[in-house]
Amino acid sequence: FTTPLLLTLKMVKLGDQLPNFKAVTNQGPIEFHSWLQGSWGILFSHPADYTPVCTTELGRAAKLAPEFEKRGVKLIGLSCDSAESHNGWIKDIQDYNKLSGNFPFPLIADDKRELAVELGMLDPDEKDSAGLPLTARAVFIVDENAKLKLSLLYPATTGRNFDEILRVVDSLKLTVQKKVATPADWKAGEKCMVLPTVKAEDVPKLFPKGVEIAEVPSGKKYIRLTPQP
């Protein structure tokens, strides 16, 4: 991979449909759209197998897998090594994170970096021992139609917060159904904000639990809070 190629890579944009890629995983071959089976999904990438930060991330994701499942969200990881390598690494992941039983989600084997290139996941500043760019820590959250609802991109050196990923799933699934937005640091069950596009005359019908209007120096009534619908 040369620098010019890396500069041309583009990550998928919000609203784009992720391609129906075929991939080999440690649990067998998949086609992405068929694998979703009408569920939301989270695809998250890792630079390589047998790496320390990734070992903690996958352990945390595995511990939270039942919470994602309750929300109708499937998990799938990606690392730039073989499926055989993944299966060996999973033993370390389970041991280090004190996990038992079957690992709860598949890991894509992208040892040729083809999918990482296609989805714009490479980190040009981090190289492996062969001088090839590592896969960045990308997170793609997609809906049941494989359309991108949220993306996060961390450098290879910074581990992800999977509690935050769970939190944004709660926000995304709520706000796609209800005419609300979630404020900073919001958690499920807390007050939401009425969208600015909702007219005052529609508020009683849409928000029967009531709406609180915050008083601010401008006198404008744009901060409208309501219990989570």
Side-chain angles (χ1 to χ4, degrees), residues 95-110:
D95 181 77
Y96 182 79
N97 294 283
K98 297 178 172 54
L99 300 167
S100 59
N102 294 327
F103 200 71
F105 53 86
L107 298 179
I108 293 170
D110 192 29

Side-chain angles (χ1 to χ4, degrees), residues 196-218:
T197 53
V198 175
K199 297 178 180 179
E201 57 266 29
D202 295 329
V203 164
K205 178 179 64 177
L206 293 173
F207 305 103
K209 295 179 182 178
V211 170
E212 168 193 347
I213 301 176
E215 294 185 7
V216 290
S218 68

Side-chain angles (χ1 to χ4, degrees), residues 15 25 33 59 63 65 74 92-93 101 107 116 125 134 137 139 145 162 167 178 181 192 196 199 212:
T25 80
H33 293 184
K63 288 178 181 178
K74 301 179 75 172
D92 286 1
I93 294 166
L107 298 179
D125 292 329
L134 294 173
R137 301 184 190 282
V139 180
N145 297 310
F162 279 83
R167 187 191 76 87
K178 305 293 183 180
C192 301
K199 297 178 180 179
E212 168 193 347

Side-chain angles (χ1 to χ4, degrees), residues 4-218:
L5 172 61
L6 287 172
L7 291 176
T8 65
L9 295 176
K10 292 183 180 179
M11 182 175 284
V12 290
K13 302 184 295 296
L14 293 180
D16 286 352
Q17 184 181 55
L18 263 66
N20 188 27
F21 59 81
K22 295 180 180 180
V24 174
T25 80
N26 66 307
Q27 296 180 7
I30 66 158
E31 287 189 3
F32 186 60
H33 293 184
S34 299
W35 173 81
L36 283 174
Q37 292 182 327
S39 297
W40 283 44
I42 299 179
L43 168 62
F44 54 103
S45 59
H46 298 271
D49 291 2
Y50 299 103
T51 49
V53 175
C54 300
T55 299
T56 64
E57 288 185 318
L58 284 166
R60 183 60 181 152
K63 288 178 181 178
L64 287 174
E67 292 297 321
F68 286 106
E69 185 177 3
K70 282 195 297 187
R71 291 160 171 80
V73 179
K74 301 179 75 172
L75 301 175
I76 189 166
L78 176 150
S79 183
C80 292
D81 285 293
S82 68
E84 182 180 4
S85 175
H86 291 353
N87 281 327
W89 182 31
I90 282 171
K91 295 175 183 177
D92 286 1
I93 294 166
Q94 291 181 306
D95 181 77
Y96 182 79
N97 294 283
K98 297 178 172 54
L99 300 167
S100 59
N102 294 327
F103 200 71
F105 53 86
L107 298 179
I108 293 170
D110 192 29
D111 45 332
K112 295 182 180 178
R113 289 172 166 77
E114 292 173 346
L115 188 54
V117 169
E118 182 177 3
L119 298 179
M121 291 175 163
L122 296 181
D123 183 345
D125 292 329
E126 296 292 333
K127 305 288 197 303
D128 65 11
S129 58
L132 294 173
L134 294 173
T135 307
R137 301 184 190 282
V139 180
F140 295 143
I141 301 180
V142 300
D143 67 12
E144 65 276 7
N145 297 310
K147 289 189 175 181
L148 186 65
K149 307 300 290 185
L150 180 142
S151 65
L152 298 167
L153 186 62
Y154 293 68
T157 50
T158 300
R160 287 161 283 204
N161 184 329
F162 279 83
D163 292 306
E164 167 64 3
I165 295 171
L166 191 65
R167 187 191 76 87
V168 297
V169 164
D170 285 336
S171 174
L172 290 168
K173 298 206 84 173
L174 172 65
T175 56
V176 79
Q177 297 172 354
K178 305 293 183 180
K179 294 184 180 298
V180 294
T182 56
D185 300 330
W186 174 89
K187 294 186 178 70
E190 296 180 350
K191 289 182 179 180
C192 301
M193 305 185 112
V194 177
L195 291 178
T197 53
V198 175
K199 297 178 180 179
E201 57 266 29
D202 295 329
V203 164
K205 178 179 64 177
L206 293 173
F207 305 103
K209 295 179 182 178
V211 170
E212 168 193 347
I213 301 176
E215 294 185 7
V216 290
S218 68

